[in-house]
Amino acid sequence: MTRDTKLKFVREYPINASAKLLYPYLSTPGGLSQWFCDDAKLNEDNIFNFIWDGRNHFAEMTGHRTNRSVRFLFLSEDRKHLPDAPYIDFQIESSELTQEQFLKVVDYSNEDSQEELEELWDNLLQNLREIVGG
């Protein structure tokens, strides 16, 4: 598989926290740096910088609905838009039937192993659950 082939990982994680409580952890640098990355910064152009293992990953929040969903579109190292760019979607959903909350994660990335993505997100969501008490 070549590096320009992307995988779309989609998973719903049950989470025991209100949308209002959860949303800041999905949409703010302070919230995201607690569970999603080593550090997150927001620059003056409203470009997020997610830092993993000392490396910068720039992203733009291209969509958000308060207490509902957030999309981060990843940019090139010089902060330009890429064709077929990787992105991450977070959607807070709740079951009408059971009143359960779910966090739906869509990770469209250059990762070439579904198993590795699964393990990564399982670990990230475990971190998030511990923080929000869910």
Side-chain angles (χ1 to χ4, degrees):
M1 205 181 266
T2 59
R3 287 301 288 156
D4 54 2
T5 302
K6 299 216 176 31
L7 254 186
K8 188 173 192 175
F9 174 82
V10 181
R11 174 71 44 86
E12 285 188 0
Y13 292 93
I15 194 150
N16 192 7
S18 72
K20 211 174 203 162
L21 176 73
L22 208 48
Y23 187 74
Y25 288 101
L26 309 175
S27 60
T28 66
L32 287 156
S33 62
Q34 290 187 54
W35 70 277
F36 178 64
C37 52
D38 300 334
D39 197 9
K41 296 179 169 73
L42 184 61
N43 75 11
E44 62 285 347
D45 300 327
N46 281 329
I47 302 289
F48 281 78
N49 180 7
F50 298 116
I51 300 162
W52 285 283
D53 302 325
R55 294 187 50 213
N56 297 323
H57 300 268
F58 298 103
E60 191 177 353
M61 188 189 287
T62 56
H64 67 94
R65 290 172 56 204
T66 304
N67 298 337
R68 298 275 310 197
S69 63
V70 183
R71 171 176 278 199
F72 290 104
L73 185 71
F74 286 88
L75 306 170
S76 65
E77 284 181 22
D78 57 2
R79 302 176 197 183
K80 301 272 188 276
H81 284 259
L82 298 159
D84 195 30
Y87 65 84
I88 292 176
D89 269 342
F90 295 122
Q91 294 167 7
I92 303 168
E93 301 179 344
S94 56
S95 162
E96 299 288 316
L97 214 55
T98 62
Q99 300 306 307
E100 266 187 301
Q101 288 281 106
F102 292 93
L103 179 60
K104 182 178 180 183
V105 173
V106 179
D107 182 350
Y108 182 68
S109 68
N110 294 323
E111 185 59 60
D112 53 9
S113 163
Q114 191 77 23
E115 290 76 30
E116 279 180 33
L117 275 174
E118 202 166 306
E119 193 177 310
L120 171 76
W121 282 106
D122 287 353
N123 289 334
L124 287 172
L125 263 293
Q126 190 56 45
N127 296 345
L128 182 59
R129 281 193 193 110
E130 285 169 15
I131 293 166
V132 298

